[in-house]
Amino acid sequence: MWRSRRLEDTLLWKSSGCKYTCHAQCRDQVALDCHQNGSINGYPLNPLAQDHINNNQSSDSDVEKEKELRTHLTCEDIRQKVEQYNTKSRDHFKMTLNTNGMYTGFIKVQLDLRRPITVKGGGVGGVKGQEAFYLPRGSVNTLHISSTNTVRQVIEALLRKFTVADNPAKFALFKRFSREDQVYTCKLSEDEHPLFLRLVAGPSTDTLSFVLKEQQTGEVLWDAFSIPELQNFLRILDKEEQDQMCSITRRYNAYREKLEEAMRATGGPG
């Protein structure tokens, strides 16, 4: 009996989170949602999953870290970092340090917008009034800002550059960075200073880059859109629906022609 019990124990696996027990060979086929000490199903979270959880938490700690670092940096520290930044920079986007300790420079922001934006008259394409557009995803824009500009001001400046009429609160600025051969994306607080983050990280966009996205609230806040915006969305959806219907019709017409040709080749009807 003792031997059979010992053998049974070696063939069982028990989750450290919820104490669920199953056969060892069934371990990979069991999906549990129990969490304990940074693990799921008894397995330690990999760095990407753990960072994803951390990124979904409040970014207040990041703001506090930035404020603490900014406080401890002296004017001489800033001067040295600006010089080091300009030395490492491989383009003409250098930083300029003013006598009052404030510095100016350039940041590049990648656009990753999934929904259309409303453009004022005289904007993209020279449209009049307001019109909805899909901005090309992945395009990069350069902004000249100062060390005092916050994330919210950067978002507003970027929207003004494209004459976007949408509420800036619909958008968020994210930082993308690498850690241990993994790429992570983290939402920035509106009080953070992008140029300071750029200065500390250095000029390489592989180390740090900025991405403009929609606010990730889990669902679309339709109440935040105006009636003209919603009407533009409907027109875009109607056009996409018609294009999709035409594409499907062409594809099935092509299939029908091939089938009819095959039937004629074999002497069948048609």
Side-chain angles (χ1 to χ4, degrees):
M1 179 66 68
W2 174 85
R3 183 177 180 181
S4 63
R5 172 61 63 183
R6 180 75 175 272
L7 179 61
E8 181 181 351
D9 289 342
T10 61
L11 295 177
L12 295 179
W13 168 78
K14 180 181 291 185
S15 169
S16 61
C18 62
K19 306 305 179 183
Y20 176 85
T21 304
C22 68
H23 288 95
Q25 63 266 30
C26 300
R27 179 176 181 175
D28 295 334
Q29 303 178 25
V30 176
L32 304 176
D33 60 357
C34 53
H35 295 249
Q36 183 177 11
N37 297 329
S39 64
I40 297 179
N41 298 348
Y43 294 100
L45 288 175
N46 60 46
L48 181 59
Q50 185 65 59
D51 195 83
H52 175 72
I53 293 176
N54 293 338
N55 288 349
N56 287 334
Q57 296 174 350
S58 173
S59 59
D60 291 342
S61 59
D62 292 335
V63 178
E64 293 301 323
K65 289 178 181 178
E66 182 201 329
K67 289 181 179 179
E68 183 178 356
L69 183 57
R70 286 167 60 91
T71 302
H72 284 81
L73 287 180
T74 64
C75 293
E76 179 61 20
D77 293 333
I78 294 294
R79 186 189 66 79
Q80 292 180 3
K81 285 188 174 295
V82 169
E83 289 183 356
Q84 293 173 0
Y85 182 96
N86 291 337
T87 301
K88 295 178 181 178
S89 179
R90 295 294 180 264
D91 51 34
H92 60 279
F93 296 126
K94 309 291 185 180
M95 290 198 183
T96 302
L97 180 63
N98 299 326
T99 56
N100 59 0
M102 185 183 71
Y103 49 95
T104 59
F106 298 85
I107 62 169
K108 296 179 181 179
V109 181
Q110 181 180 356
L111 303 181
D112 188 16
L113 302 179
R114 300 177 182 272
R115 297 191 290 270
I117 52 111
T118 303
V119 180
K120 300 177 183 178
V124 178
V127 297
K128 296 181 179 180
Q130 292 187 353
E131 191 66 48
F133 283 91
Y134 277 105
L135 285 177
R137 293 183 61 184
S139 59
V140 178
N141 286 268
T142 303
L143 290 176
H144 184 257
I145 62 175
S146 75
S147 56
T148 61
N149 289 135
T150 63
V151 165
R152 180 175 182 83
Q153 291 172 331
V154 167
I155 294 176
E156 292 173 348
L158 192 60
L159 297 182
R160 283 197 302 270
K161 186 174 182 179
F162 286 96
T163 64
V164 176
D166 297 273
N167 188 340
K170 298 178 184 178
F171 306 93
L173 192 66
F174 290 75
K175 64 178 180 180
R176 180 181 294 158
F177 57 97
S178 300
R179 181 189 301 164
E180 298 179 354
D181 298 327
Q182 295 283 355
V183 179
Y184 306 95
T185 303
C186 179
K187 179 182 175 181
L188 293 174
S189 168
E190 291 187 347
D191 296 331
E192 293 186 78
H193 299 78
L195 192 61
F196 177 75
L197 299 177
R198 179 79 280 162
L199 176 65
V200 173
S204 174
T205 54
D206 293 333
T207 305
L208 174 71
S209 59
F210 298 104
V211 185
L212 182 70
K213 297 183 179 184
E214 290 94 351
Q215 289 280 9
Q216 297 179 348
T217 58
E219 61 181 24
V220 180
L221 301 177
W222 295 112
D223 293 341
F225 294 92
S226 64
I227 296 299
E229 288 177 319
L230 296 174
Q231 291 174 339
N232 284 331
F233 294 162
L234 288 176
R235 283 195 289 268
I236 291 175
L237 290 175
D238 288 339
K239 183 179 184 304
E240 290 181 348
E241 181 181 10
Q242 291 298 324
D243 292 343
Q244 188 69 14
M245 291 175 59
C246 290
S247 176
I248 294 175
T249 301
R250 287 194 300 268
R251 186 166 69 249
Y252 278 93
N253 285 339
Y255 288 159
R256 182 180 293 105
E257 291 178 1
K258 291 181 179 179
L259 288 174
E260 292 175 349
E261 290 178 0
M263 294 174 64
R264 286 194 295 266
T266 57

